C-alpha cells in the first residue's frame, strides 16, 4: 500500500472560504429564484478578503447587481447565506447593516433638494452625530475625492457635471468610514476620459486608505474588463447566475475557460483589427 | 379714452349704495365661506395626505381607495348635500353637512397628488435612501415628502379652488356662505345679489390659488429639468 500524498497547503483564499471569519463578505450557497420559477442566481459561493477590491463582471442580467444588493439586504436570497465579517446579514438590523456600508451607483442617487455638503453628511446625520464636526468632515471628504470644498460644498447636484456627481456620491459613501464599499457600475455613464480620471482617483484614494490602515473591502460591479483589471485584486465572472470564474486579474486575461475567453475577446476588438491589418 | 357717460355714473352710484347697505353681510358671509372651505380643506388634508402616504406603502390598496374617492367626486354636489341631510348628528347643523361634503370633494386631488407625488420620486434616489440605512420615517421626511411637496401642493390648490366653488351650493341646505347671496339673487331675479356672492367667491378662489401657487413654486426641487 502506498503512502498517501500529503494534503496540499490551502491557499489564503481557500482558508478564507473555510474559516469564513477571515472573509469580509461571504456568499455561501446563495440562490435567488423569481416568483415565476426562473433562477436569477444559482448556488453562489464566494469569499471576499478584507481590504481587497473584487470586480463582478458579466453580461447584463447575469445577476451581478442582485448579488451586490444582497450584501446590504436590498435583495434577499431565497436560499443560502450572506455573511459580513462572519455574521449572517439576515440576523442583523437592516438599518445598522446599511449604515455600515458605503453604496455608490451609476445614477449617483444624490438627493436633488440638498446641497453637496448635506448629501455628504447624510449618514452621520442619520446616525445622530453632532453637526459641529460636519463642516470639517465635508472639507476632508471633498478634498479626498478631488473636489474643492469652497467651490462645491454649497452647490446642488444639478449644478455639477456627471464626474463631479460621482465624486460626491463616493464622498457620501465614505462619510461614515465604512469598512465595506458597494459600487454598482459607478462610472458606467461617464465618458472615457472622465471615467479614467475617476478610476485614477478611486485607485489613489483606496491606496491612501490602505496605507493609513483603513483599507476598504470593495465589491465593484462593472461591465468593463479594463476597469476591473485596473482596479480589482480579484475578478469574478458571472454568467446566467453562476460563477464562471474567480481569478486574479493576470490569470483572468489568459484563462482558457470558454466564458472567460469569450469575455476577454469582446474587448479591444478595434485594436486587434487595426493591429491585424 | 372714453369719458364716463351718465349710464356708467349711475351704475357706480347703484353699486356704492348696494355695498353700503350690504357690506356687513358680505363680510359675514365671506368669513362664513372661508370657515366652511378652510375647515373642509384642513380635514381633507389631514385625511388625504396620510392616506396617500399609506397607499404608497400598500400599493394594493391604491386602486380601490382612489376609486372610492373618484366616486365621491362624481356625485352632484346638491345631491350629496341632500343625502347627508337626514343623517343623525350631521343633519342637526347645516354647516356640518357642508364641511363633510366639501371634505369629500377636496379629498381626491389631495389624496391622488400625494400618492402620485411620492411614487414619482426618482427610483435611484429612493434606492439610495434605503441603502444609506434610512428608516421608513426618515425616508418619508427627508426625501419623499420634500421631493413630492410641489405635487402635493398642486393637489391642495386644485382642492381649494373646487371647494370654494362648491361651497356656494352649501347655502341650499342653509349652511350659509356666499351662496346665500347667489340663491337669494336667483330667487328674486336680482343680479346685484348674484354678483355680491359670485365676485367675492371668485376673488377668494383666485387669492387662494395665487397663494398656493407661490408656495408650490417655493417647494420646487432645484434643477433645470424639474417642474
Amino acid at each position: 500500500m502506498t503512502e498517501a500524498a500529503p494534503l496540499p497547503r490551502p491557499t489564503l483564499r481557500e482558508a478564507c472560504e473555510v474559516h469564513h471569519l477571515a472573509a469580509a463578505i461571504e456568499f455561501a450557497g446563495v440562490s435567488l429564484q423569481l416568483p415565476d420559477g426562473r433562477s436569477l442566481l444559482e448556488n453562489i459561493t464566494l469569499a471576499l478578503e478584507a481590504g481587497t477590491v473584487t470586480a463582478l463582471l458579466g453580461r447584463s442580467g447575469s445577476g451581478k447587481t442582485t448579488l451586490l444588493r444582497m450584501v446590504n439586504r436590498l435583495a434577499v436570497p431565497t436560499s443560502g447565506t450572506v455573511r459580513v465579517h462572519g455574521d449572517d446579514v439576515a440576523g442583523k438590523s437592516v438599518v445598522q447593516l446599511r449604515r455600515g456600508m458605503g453604496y455608490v451607483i451609476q445614477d449617483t442617487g444624490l438627493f436633488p433638494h440638498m446641497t453637496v455638503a448635506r448629501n455628504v453628511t447624510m449618514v452621520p446625520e442619520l446616525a445622530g452625530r453632532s453637526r459641529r464636526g460636519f463642516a470639517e468632515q465635508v472639507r476632508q471628504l471633498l478634498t479626498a475625492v478631488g473636489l474643492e470644498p469652497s467651490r462645491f460644498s454649497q452647490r446642488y447636484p444639478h449644478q455639477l457635471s456627471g464626474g463631479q456627481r460621482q465624486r460626491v456620491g463616493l464622498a457620501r459613501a465614505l462619510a461614515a468610514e465604512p469598512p465595506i464599499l458597494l459600487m454598482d457600475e459607478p462610472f458606467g455613464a461617464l465618458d472615457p476620459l472622465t471615467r479614467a480620471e475617476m478610476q485614477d482617483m478611486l485607485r489613489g484614494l483606496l491606496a491612501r486608505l490602505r496605507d493609513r490602515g483603513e483599507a476598504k473591502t470593495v465589491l465593484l460591479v462593472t461591465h468593463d474588463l479594463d476597469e476591473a483589471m485596473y482596479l480589482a485584486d480579484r475578478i469574478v465572472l458571472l454568467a446566467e447566475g453562476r460563477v464562471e470564474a474567480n481569478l486574479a486579474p493576470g490569470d483572468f486575461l489568459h484563462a482558457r475557460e470558454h466564458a472567460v475567453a469569450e469575455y476577454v475577446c469582446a474587448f479591444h476588438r478595434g485594436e486587434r483589427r487595426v493591429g491585424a491589418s | 379714452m372714453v369719458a364716463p357717460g351718465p349710464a356708467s355714473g349711475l351704475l357706480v352710484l347703484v353699486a356704492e349704495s348696494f355695498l353700503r347697505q350690504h357690506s356687513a353681510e358680505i363680510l359675514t358671509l365671506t368669513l362664513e365661506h372661508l370657515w366652511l372651505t378652510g375647515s373642509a380643506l384642513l380635514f381633507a388634508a389631514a385625511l388625504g395626505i396620510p392616506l396617500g402616504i399609506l397607499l404608497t406603502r400598500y400599493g394594493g390598496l391604491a386602486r380601490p381607495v382612489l376609486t372610492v374617492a373618484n366616486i365621491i367626486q362624481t356625485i352632484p354636489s346638491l345631491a350629496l348635500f341632500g343625502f347627508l341631510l337626514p343623517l343623525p348628528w350631521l343633519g342637526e347643523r347645516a354647516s356640518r353637512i357642508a364641511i363633510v361634503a366639501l371634505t369629500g370633494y377636496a379629498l381626491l386631488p389631495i389624496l391622488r397628488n400625494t400618492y402620485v407625488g411620492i411614487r414619482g420620486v426618482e427610483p435611484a434616489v429612493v434606492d439610495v435612501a434605503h441603502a444609506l440605512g434610512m428608516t421608513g420615517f426618515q425616508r418619508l421626511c427627508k426625501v419623499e415628502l420634500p421631493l413630492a411637496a410641489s405635487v402635493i401642493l398642486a393637489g391642495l390648490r386644485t382642492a381649494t379652488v373646487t371647494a370654494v366653488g362648491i361651497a356656494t351650493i352649501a347655502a341650499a341646505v342653509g349652511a350659509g356662505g356666499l351662496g346665500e347671496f347667489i340663491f337669494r339673487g336667483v330667487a328674486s331675479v336680482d343680479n346685484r345679489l348674484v354678483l355680491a356672492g359670485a365676485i367675492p367667491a371668485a376673488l377668494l378662489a383666485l387669492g387662494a390659488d395665487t397663494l398656493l401657487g407661490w408656495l408650490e413654486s417655493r417647494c420646487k426641487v432645484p434643477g433645470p429639468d424639474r417642474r
Side-chain angles (χ1 to χ4, degrees):
Chain A
M1 200 175 147
T2 56
E3 200 178 324
L7 284 171
R9 191 181 160 81
T11 63
L12 178 60
R13 175 152 297 277
E14 285 163 347
C16 283
E17 284 169 7
V18 176
H19 305 288
H20 59 71
L21 283 172
I25 301 171
E26 188 191 6
F27 301 93
V30 166
S31 299
L32 179 70
Q33 266 203 324
L34 298 176
D36 62 10
R38 273 189 308 128
S39 206
L40 204 63
L41 290 170
E42 271 181 54
N43 198 25
I44 304 280
T45 296
L46 269 179
L48 277 59
E49 282 172 44
T52 61
V53 179
T54 303
L56 277 180
L57 279 181
R59 285 174 190 262
S60 301
S62 59
K64 310 183 293 292
T65 293
T66 309
L67 194 64
L68 174 132
R69 289 165 70 88
M70 282 177 175
V71 180
N72 60 0
R73 275 177 60 189
L74 286 173
V76 179
T78 42
S79 64
T81 310
V82 182
R83 294 192 191 95
V84 170
H85 299 301
D87 297 325
D88 185 347
V89 295
K92 293 182 113 178
S93 144
V94 76
V95 167
Q96 294 312 319
L97 175 79
R98 288 172 183 170
R99 285 185 192 167
M101 289 177 195
Y103 185 70
V104 187
I105 55 172
Q106 184 175 320
D107 293 332
T108 72
L110 293 181
F111 301 125
H113 57 304
M114 296 179 188
T115 60
V116 164
R118 179 107 194 272
N119 264 290
V120 167
T121 53
M122 183 42 68
V123 181
E125 183 186 320
L126 291 172
R129 283 201 211 155
S130 159
R131 283 171 184 266
R132 261 184 295 172
F134 282 7
E136 177 55 20
Q137 198 182 11
V138 168
R139 196 189 62 74
Q140 284 177 4
L141 286 164
L142 291 186
T143 307
V145 296
L147 292 175
E148 202 183 307
S150 59
R151 271 183 68 201
F152 291 98
S153 64
Q154 292 310 310
R155 289 195 188 177
Y156 283 90
H158 77 273
Q159 295 167 320
L160 305 175
S161 70
Q164 288 163 349
R165 277 201 289 270
Q166 277 304 347
R167 287 174 195 264
V168 176
L170 182 60
R172 177 173 64 183
L174 294 169
E177 297 168 18
I180 291 175
L181 273 182
L182 304 175
M183 307 184 84
D184 190 359
E185 294 187 52
F187 314 136
L190 303 176
D191 65 83
L193 287 176
T194 311
R195 176 186 273 235
E197 285 169 12
M198 295 295 294
Q199 289 165 350
D200 285 340
M201 182 271 292
L202 179 63
R203 207 173 129 118
L205 181 67
L206 292 174
R208 283 199 301 279
L209 289 168
R210 195 177 299 137
D211 293 344
R212 288 205 320 236
E214 298 167 24
K216 306 288 179 198
T217 306
V218 182
L219 183 54
L220 170 76
V221 165
T222 179
H223 283 120
D224 184 351
L225 177 64
D226 212 40
E227 184 167 275
M229 301 286 294
Y230 191 65
L231 293 172
D233 302 301
R234 202 82 194 164
I235 298 178
V236 174
L237 179 69
L238 285 185
E240 293 174 8
R242 282 188 295 268
V243 174
E244 289 291 335
N246 178 3
L247 299 163
D251 299 334
F252 193 89
L253 217 49
H254 304 106
R256 297 199 171 182
E257 287 100 325
H258 174 70
V260 180
E262 189 185 38
Y263 206 90
V264 172
C265 277
F267 283 83
H268 308 296
R269 299 168 74 212
E271 272 174 44
R272 283 201 297 276
R273 179 183 164 237
V274 173
S277 62
Chain B
M1 209 170 139
V2 181
S8 61
L10 189 66
L11 264 177
V12 170
L13 275 177
V14 169
E16 263 180 9
S17 86
F18 180 86
L19 280 176
R20 216 175 299 124
Q21 212 178 332
H22 292 89
S23 59
E25 201 181 0
I26 291 174
L27 187 67
T28 310
L29 292 179
T30 305
L31 289 176
E32 226 170 53
H33 204 90
L34 268 174
W35 156 249
L36 290 177
T37 47
S39 320
L41 284 165
L42 272 180
F43 282 125
L47 194 66
I49 295 174
L51 194 56
I53 293 167
L54 204 69
L55 296 188
T56 62
R57 302 311 195 237
Y58 303 96
L61 288 176
R63 188 182 282 258
V65 172
L66 287 172
T67 305
V68 169
N70 251 321
I71 290 170
I72 295 173
Q73 194 84 0
T74 59
I75 302 172
S77 46
L78 205 53
L80 186 58
F81 288 126
F83 289 144
L84 297 174
L85 208 52
L87 296 181
W89 187 80
L90 213 58
E92 286 168 23
R93 287 182 67 175
S95 58
R96 286 179 192 161
I97 297 175
I99 290 170
V100 168
L102 291 175
T103 303
Y105 286 116
L107 192 61
L108 178 67
I110 296 174
L111 181 63
R112 190 180 48 205
N113 278 39
T114 304
Y115 176 71
V116 170
I118 292 177
R119 289 293 297 255
V121 174
E122 210 181 308
V125 170
V126 179
D127 188 49
V128 166
H130 280 286
L132 293 187
M134 285 193 187
T135 61
F137 188 68
Q138 286 172 332
R139 197 173 79 236
L140 182 71
C141 297
K142 289 182 188 290
V143 179
E144 291 172 323
L145 282 179
L147 291 177
S150 65
V151 181
I152 296 172
L153 274 169
L156 204 61
R157 202 171 154 190
T158 310
T160 305
V161 176
T162 310
V164 170
I166 294 177
T168 54
I169 300 167
V173 289
L178 291 162
E180 288 275 334
F181 273 134
I182 298 172
F183 277 101
R184 263 160 46 199
V186 170
S188 58
V189 201
D190 184 347
N191 281 344
R192 292 174 311 168
L193 282 172
V194 174
L195 288 173
I199 291 173
L203 289 176
L204 275 183
L206 281 173
D209 190 54
T210 309
L211 179 70
L212 287 167
W214 175 77
L215 268 178
E216 193 187 319
S217 67
R218 300 273 303 173
C219 288
K220 269 179 193 159
V221 176
D225 54 346
R226 287 167 196 284
R227 285 167 193 282

